[in-house]
Amino acid sequence: MRAPLKPLDEALADLLAQAVPLLGVERVDTFDADGRVLREGATSPLQVPPADNSSMDGYAVRVADLADLAGPAGTELPVSQRIPAGSAAQPLAAGTAARIFTGAPVPAGADAIVMQEDCEALQGGERVRINAMPAAGQWIRRAGEDITRGAQVLSAGTRLGPAALGLAASIGLAQLAVSRRPRVALFSTGDELVMPGEVAPEQLPPGAIYNSNRFFLRAMLRRLGCEVTDLGIVPDRRDATIDALQGAAASHDLILTSGGVSVGEEDHIKPAVEALGELRLWQIAMKPGKPFAYGRIPGARVAAHFMGLPGNPVSSFVTFSLLVRPFLLALQGAADVAPRAMAATAAFDWPRADKRREFLRVRWNAEGRLERFGNQSSGVLTSAAWGDGVVDNPAGQTIARGDVVRFISFADLLS
């Protein structure tokens, strides 16, 4: 009797338990750290901003000097100094104003900034008329309001993006300690596969198809910061499959294959992995994507991880997004790896409940609801290019228009 299919959440938990972070830390230029995973937390040696500064172009004043501000005439004050950003400020003399610019330090004694739109320069800028009464502290950014000295601004396990890089730069970090890139060997199986450019569309032999999986898998791996060795298309022979797996295991952290993981006579991946190492996971209770495999293959020093994806392009795309991506992030020590879901409203009916958990390709419509792609076949890659994400639909669940569903965005899964 065949064992029941592994539920997706259990399969992901099993995979993540195997994803011990890779040994080796690299120090890279902060300019070049986008997408990398931080391995050492970043602590600030200073406060940001380092001193009180103005958030507006205008005039620094003492609020007490404007106590008599009333009526259309406003209050006139002499301008005692001009403070551009990057310059030093002198203490503000009582009864005067200082011309100040955004980012410039607030002079000692000043307790508010009046924006220039509420002021009128007089006598060539030597005097100013203040036409609006400021509140104490108005338009002043306080020292340390962003970052305090000694605060940890980025924690180990953070996947670095543009804002995080700017934050690191704001505390003076020219380099960051990040995980090394995972080394991934990628190959496809299937004698029916040909590469674009090798055969013109009108000359495709009967039964031949272009290898689309190779293109999107390479792109997804690179977006995750991997060093990719593309081993091309391996013939549908067990000896060729064993040779490819054995060679890849010698120098890679992960071997990723597409196709050949089902149960047909020409599906050689499963027996080849079992001949070389061990297969720990095979077949997931999800649709599309049931024929997913995980195992280990001995390498030169340590065993390489193996992941076999289905050959159907949407199945391959979805299993990579939901299983391979979290695994690769965990290998790099990332703290946040699970796909994020949000509640959304369905603008479609799905009356055919499946015994497996389903991932339906959808996109947002003009009313902010989710519409479904018409053909949900695992071979229709158009649905993934058309869609904004997937609805994560539990096993046995139908959907009626207006129901609240779980939506997972491709923007998150492909980042």
Side-chain angles (χ1 to χ4, degrees):
M1 184 176 178
R2 180 176 295 179
L5 300 180
K6 176 85 74 172
L8 176 60
D9 289 340
E10 289 184 24
L12 180 56
D14 289 348
L15 289 175
L16 294 180
Q18 303 297 321
V20 178
L22 298 170
L23 297 177
V25 176
E26 300 174 353
R27 299 201 72 84
V28 300
D29 193 296
T30 302
F31 272 125
D32 301 322
D34 186 36
R36 305 295 290 272
V37 176
L38 194 65
R39 290 294 286 270
E40 298 176 4
T43 300
S44 179
L46 74 167
Q47 59 183 7
V48 179
D52 291 356
N53 69 87
S54 176
S55 62
M56 287 284 179
D57 291 345
Y59 292 84
V61 297
R62 296 171 179 263
V63 173
D65 291 338
L66 304 177
D68 62 346
L69 180 63
T75 297
E76 286 189 23
L77 295 173
V79 176
S80 56
Q81 59 181 306
R82 184 176 185 275
I83 314 171
S87 65
Q90 301 299 315
L92 183 66
T96 71
R99 181 70 167 115
I100 196 166
F101 298 88
T102 302
V106 176
D111 55 6
I113 307 295
V114 183
M115 69 171 68
Q116 63 186 19
E117 291 85 348
D118 292 331
C119 303
E120 182 182 353
L122 304 171
Q123 298 180 14
E126 293 184 4
R127 296 182 66 82
V128 63
R129 178 179 291 123
I130 308 296
N131 295 319
M133 184 68 184
Q138 178 176 289
W139 305 124
I140 294 176
R141 292 186 290 222
R142 295 300 181 186
E145 73 174 29
D146 185 5
I147 301 169
T148 58
R149 184 180 288 107
Q152 185 176 76
V153 299
L154 294 168
S155 58
T158 299
R159 190 164 180 230
L160 298 165
L165 300 184
L167 192 58
S170 75
I171 62 171
L173 298 183
Q175 290 188 323
L176 295 168
V178 298
S179 295
R180 70 167 176 84
R181 297 183 183 276
R183 296 186 288 267
V184 181
L186 172 67
F187 69 82
S188 304
T189 67
D191 290 340
E192 76 279 13
L193 299 176
V194 296
M195 287 295 291
E198 293 179 352
V199 180
E202 64 274 11
Q203 296 175 343
L204 274 178
I209 58 172
Y210 288 119
N211 186 358
S212 59
N213 294 13
R214 185 174 175 186
F215 286 83
F216 66 72
L217 291 175
R218 274 180 58 164
M220 294 165 92
L221 287 168
R222 287 178 171 168
R223 286 191 178 196
L224 289 169
C226 300
E227 294 178 2
V228 182
T229 303
D230 189 338
L231 301 178
I233 301 170
V234 173
D236 272 334
R237 301 195 319 270
R238 186 165 303 184
D239 62 333
T241 304
I242 288 175
D243 287 345
L245 291 170
Q246 195 167 37
S251 56
H252 293 88
D253 304 302
L254 171 65
I255 305 166
L256 184 67
T257 67
S258 173
V261 290
S262 193
V263 293
E265 293 180 5
E266 297 301 320
D267 293 313
H268 301 298
I269 290 290
K270 181 175 182 287
V273 172
E274 290 173 326
L276 293 171
E278 59 177 334
L279 197 66
R280 299 186 180 184
L281 176 63
W282 187 53
Q283 298 196 334
I284 310 294
M286 62 184 291
K287 182 181 181 180
K290 182 180 79 170
F292 173 88
Y294 170 79
R296 301 290 293 270
I297 299 175
R301 289 177 293 177
V302 297
H305 300 282
F306 162 80
M307 288 185 169
L309 305 182
N312 281 325
V314 180
S315 299
S316 188
F317 184 87
V318 169
T319 50
F320 184 100
S321 299
L322 299 178
L323 293 166
V324 181
R325 180 181 184 273
F327 183 85
L328 284 168
L329 290 175
L331 276 188
Q332 296 175 73
D336 183 14
V337 302
R340 290 190 294 265
M342 61 178 287
T345 303
F348 63 90
D349 296 314
W350 188 248
R352 304 184 302 275
D354 197 275
K355 62 183 179 182
R356 287 180 280 161
R357 186 171 170 181
E358 297 178 281
F359 293 89
L360 308 173
R361 276 75 71 204
V362 295
R363 74 177 178 188
W364 296 107
N365 65 15
E367 289 74 43
R369 298 189 170 199
L370 296 174
E371 58 185 17
R372 175 180 60 84
F373 191 78
N375 188 341
Q376 292 287 319
S377 167
S378 61
V380 181
L381 190 56
T382 305
S383 64
W386 170 92
D388 292 320
V390 293
V391 165
D392 178 1
N393 193 41
Q397 180 72 52
T398 60
I399 299 173
R401 189 180 302 267
D403 283 351
V404 175
V405 295
R406 281 169 47 88
F407 172 73
I408 302 174
S409 168
F410 286 153
D412 283 340
L413 295 176
L414 301 179
S415 64

